[in-house]
Structure formats: structure tokens, C-alpha cells
Amino acid sequence: MAPDGQILASQTTAPNTHQSEPIPEAARAEIERLLSSGDLFRYTSDGAPVALLEQEFADLMGSRYALAVASCSAALFLSIKALDLPRGAKILIPAFTFAAVPSAVVHADCVPVLVEVGDNYRVNMADFAAKLDDAQAVLISHMRGHTSDMDAIMALCDARDIPVIEDAAHSLGTTWNGRNIGTIGKIGCFSFQSYKLVNAGEGGILITDDPELAARCVIMSGAYESNWKKHPGMQNSYMLWQNKLPLYNMRMQNLSAAVIRPQLPEIAARVAKGRAGHDRVAGHLNQSDWLAVPPCLTGEDRAPDSIQFNLSGDWTDAQALKFQSRAKSRGVTVQVFGLSDGNARAFWNWEFLGPQPDLPQTRAMLMRACDVRLPTRLTLDELDFIAHAITDAIEDVKG
Ligand SMILES: *Cc1c(COP(=O)(O)O)cnc(C)c1O
């Protein structure tokens, strides 16, 4: 490990990892135009920014249909509703995900069944297979952009005709054997919340190739009366569903689309930079005997904007907390998922689900797995500052 100070000549203060990149200049003129005309509702004008975003995003992902909505949570909710499952249907979800995911399942009157996740942050396939026969749907959350074995998951689900929804909130730009994450299951859901690769403050989008699912999602998102006519490609399906489904009004408004559209051409560069930055920090952390960054699966090309690593070897909770606080004093926020109070990514904090069976493997992982933001705008010096602050904090505790 490089000694303290070696990299400090160029980078002496910790980077702010919650600061966003500026929104591309091109958004300004469009926002000004929208403000001047007051044309903010997606269904008022033909060729509205939301409709253009849907077309552009579908083209980018190679999907037939896209529907922009208020959040990824809304996209997940609509996707589950579109499956038309009976009330109380069981939906498998990974036990390592964000609280919004079980919340979307509950919101759709279904019951989440938590599946064990290994210390590589991916679905434990033995537990998945054991729980699958009781399930009516599967929602794979690619938590922090870590892709589970989609070949194994799709083979098991296809054999039983169980639909798969992908929560790709943090996987924009990730591929699995060359296929875009979000296009492997029946529906893929993405987020434009500020801490994701494309930042609109809030927002989400779902993609699918299935015209019936697309039509049902469009209607339920709030395409009342004949507003569905402004969505291309499936006139017959829409007519079937108009007035037959509730309108949940989860639409996106034009200002959000105006902020998102000019960021789409930047995705490829952000993915490349995020991957290189992540791998640079991972290379440094993996030199320590006390840290391990799990490798990705064969076939997976990641698009990370954060890094997760495990405290390896013998650690007490007190030592892990000391490591967290020593990193903080060096200006770098490290969260041990299971040791930060009320963390929304620790399943035992999802009290709204009621009592749950324990998931010892996921629990053990969460007690030693660490999370550090690495927004793709960081410079090499800033990445090195973070990497060294982490290994220096390890030395403080273990050295
Ligand atoms: C951010 C996130 C969500 C929720 O997205 P919103 O747009 O904030 O609703 C869901 N799942 C994962 C994995 C996320 O990272």
C-alpha cells in the first residue's frame, strides 16, 4: 500500500460524493421554452418531451415500448399490477435491496418472499430454487448494479411460466452476455433519482416488448380517456383496457423529461468512466488482507457508480464501527449496511412487512459489507483519495 501522503500532493481534501454533475447546457433552452409556454403536462401537445424521452429510451435499450413515470418505485408498482396477479400473490425478491422494492410489492397487494443473498451480493440460487414453486412472480432487484445469474433465474422461471420483473434502478448501462439489463425479464424498471446514473431529481421509466403489459401500464399510469392514443404501437390493446383498469396517476411531467433527455447521450461515457473508476479503487482495496471486493459474474459488464466490499477475516462489530468512523474522520463516508442505524437496505428494518423468517446468510453479509459512493464524475486523484482513506482507516483498526 502506498504510504499516507503519497497521493495527497494533488488531492488534499475529501471529494463530496453527494454532489451532482451539472445538467447538460442543452436542457436550459428546452426548460425555458416549457416555462414560457407553460406546457408542462405530457398529454397536452404532440411530440411532448416525455413522449420523445420514451422513444429515445426504448431505442437506446432496444425495447419495443417505454413508459416514463414518477419514479422507479412507481414503475415497479405498475409492472406488478400489470401482471394481474391475485391479491396476496407471493413475489420473490432478493433480501438485499432497497426498502422501496418490498414496498412496491406491498403497494400492489402482493406478499414479498425474501430470498437469501450471498457475500457477493447476488441471489443465492439454491434458496431461490427452493422458494420458487410457491411464487407467482419474481422481482429481481440488481442491488447496487450487481447482476445475479440471469441465465439460471430465467431458466427456472421460464420452465414454470413465472414472470420476471427486473429492478434495474442501478443497472443502466450494465450488460449480461451482451444483453442490456432490464431487457431480460418481461419488464425492466429504471430510476432517474439523483443518486443514479441519470439525474432528474426524481423519475423512472419501464421498458417491455409485451404490448399487453405496456398497454396496461400506460393506462394505469394515468392515460385517462383517450390519452393512450399518444402512445405509439398498440391501438388494439389500449382499447381493450380503457376504463377497465384504475388510473393511479404516476405520470412524468415535461420538465423532468427535459432534464433527462440531454443526459442520454452521456450514458456510455459515464458507464465507461464509472467502471474504470470502480476497478481502480477495487484494485487498491483488494491489496489489503482485510478487504475483499467480490468479482463480478462471468458474462456481466457492470456500470457502477459506487463500490461495495467486505471486511474479511476476523472482525468484531466494534472494530467494524471503528473502521467506519476512522474513514469518516478522513472525510470518506463508509456505510456498513447492517451497522448503520435504520439502514433502508437491511431487511430487518423493513418492519412494515411484519415478522419475517431470518435470513442468516444475508444478515451475515450485511454485517460486514461496506458501501461507498463513487459518482462517475470523480477524478483519478479523487478516486485515489477515497481508496487510500479506506485502507488508512483499515490500518488504524488492524495495523
Ligand atoms: C433507487 C432504487 C430504487 C428506487 O428508485 P426510485 O426512483 O427512488 O423510486 C429501487 N431499487 C433500487 C435497486 C434502487 O437503487
Side-chain angles (χ1 to χ4, degrees):
M1 257 170 277
D4 207 359
Q6 187 168 311
I7 46 110
L8 298 187
S10 45
Q11 179 72 35
T12 54
T13 56
N16 177 352
T17 55
H18 281 86
Q19 190 188 319
S20 300
E21 258 181 278
I23 303 303
E25 188 60 33
R28 286 171 206 277
E30 179 66 351
I31 289 168
E32 185 57 40
R33 185 184 75 78
L34 292 169
L35 295 184
S36 302
S37 63
D39 187 7
L40 302 182
F41 181 52
R42 67 162 298 165
Y43 290 129
T44 303
S45 304
D46 290 335
V50 177
L52 296 175
L53 167 65
E54 288 169 345
Q55 190 58 58
E56 290 161 358
F57 197 84
D59 290 347
L60 184 71
M61 300 303 291
S63 295
R64 284 174 74 185
Y65 309 105
L67 172 68
V69 289
S71 66
C72 182
S73 297
L76 292 170
F77 165 78
L78 291 169
S79 301
I80 299 167
K81 293 301 281 186
L83 296 178
D84 198 24
L85 304 169
R87 193 174 279 262
K90 290 181 177 161
I91 301 186
L92 299 195
I93 65 169
F96 176 44
T97 184
F98 186 60
V101 175
S103 301
V105 175
V106 169
H107 189 191
D109 292 320
C110 294
V111 176
V113 175
L114 309 187
V115 176
E116 287 274 32
V117 169
D119 63 6
N120 66 351
Y121 321 129
R122 289 157 176 94
V123 170
N124 173 323
M125 289 309 302
D127 196 46
F128 180 86
K131 289 171 174 165
L132 189 58
D133 284 331
D134 272 348
Q136 274 125 308
V138 164
L139 199 178
I140 294 296
S141 184
H142 304 291
M143 183 55 172
R144 287 291 189 269
H146 297 286
T147 309
S148 292
D149 185 342
M150 290 308 289
D151 292 351
I153 287 169
M154 294 311 297
L156 286 165
C157 291
D158 286 348
R160 291 162 179 78
D161 223 9
I162 294 176
V164 175
I165 297 168
E166 286 182 86
D167 168 16
H170 237 134
S171 295
L172 182 54
T174 300
T175 58
W176 173 256
N177 292 320
R179 294 173 71 186
N180 286 317
I181 287 299
T183 65
I184 298 171
K186 276 198 181 301
I187 309 184
C189 302
F190 296 83
S191 176
F192 301 123
Q193 186 268 340
S194 286
Y195 298 161
K196 315 296 161 98
L197 202 71
V198 170
N199 165 26
E202 303 284 0
I205 198 163
L206 63 86
I207 55 174
T208 183
D209 285 340
D210 183 320
E212 296 305 317
L213 291 177
R216 293 167 62 81
C217 288
V218 164
I219 302 267
M220 287 191 285
S221 76
Y224 60 93
E225 296 166 352
S226 56
N227 278 313
W228 52 261
K229 289 182 178 163
K230 301 212 163 91
H231 292 260
M234 42 185 156
Q235 284 0 12
N236 294 335
S237 308
Y238 286 124
M239 273 185 275
L240 206 61
W241 298 116
Q242 186 180 348
N243 297 333
K244 301 287 194 294
L245 296 169
L247 305 170
Y248 293 105
N249 284 10
M250 295 175 155
R251 296 174 301 253
M252 179 180 278
Q253 59 133 326
N254 281 338
L255 285 174
S256 304
V259 169
I260 294 164
R261 290 182 60 221
Q263 295 182 62
L264 298 185
E266 300 195 350
I267 290 173
R270 289 181 190 177
V271 168
K273 201 164 169 239
R275 190 180 300 159
H278 171 278
D279 292 352
R280 183 182 180 94
V281 174
H284 182 76
L285 300 190
N286 274 332
Q287 288 170 33
S288 166
D289 291 340
W290 298 105
L291 298 176
V293 183
C296 53
L297 300 187
T298 312
E300 180 186 12
D301 279 312
R302 302 192 62 229
D305 60 6
S306 64
I307 189 165
Q308 290 70 46
F309 54 90
N310 297 323
L311 303 177
S312 54
D314 283 335
W315 285 78
T316 63
D317 287 355
Q319 285 176 320
L321 284 168
K322 185 175 172 199
F323 161 63
Q324 203 176 253
S325 79
R326 295 313 291 249
K328 183 93 200 157
S329 70
R330 293 169 185 278
V332 172
T333 303
V334 176
Q335 271 197 340
V336 182
F337 287 103
L339 288 175
S340 55
D341 238 6
N343 195 308
R345 299 149 204 91
F347 64 85
W348 54 86
N349 289 323
W350 304 338
E351 292 173 29
F352 53 85
L353 292 182
Q356 291 290 309
D358 196 21
L359 296 129
Q361 186 185 29
T362 310
R363 180 183 290 273
M365 178 274 284
L366 289 167
M367 295 307 280
R368 295 295 176 262
C370 304
D371 190 30
V372 175
R373 287 177 50 75
L374 295 178
T376 61
R377 63 172 174 74
L378 294 183
T379 64
L380 296 182
D381 285 345
E382 289 171 327
L383 291 164
D384 289 346
F385 183 96
I386 291 171
H388 285 255
I390 292 169
T391 48
D392 290 345
I394 290 285
E395 293 299 309
D396 290 347
V397 181
K398 292 288 198 180

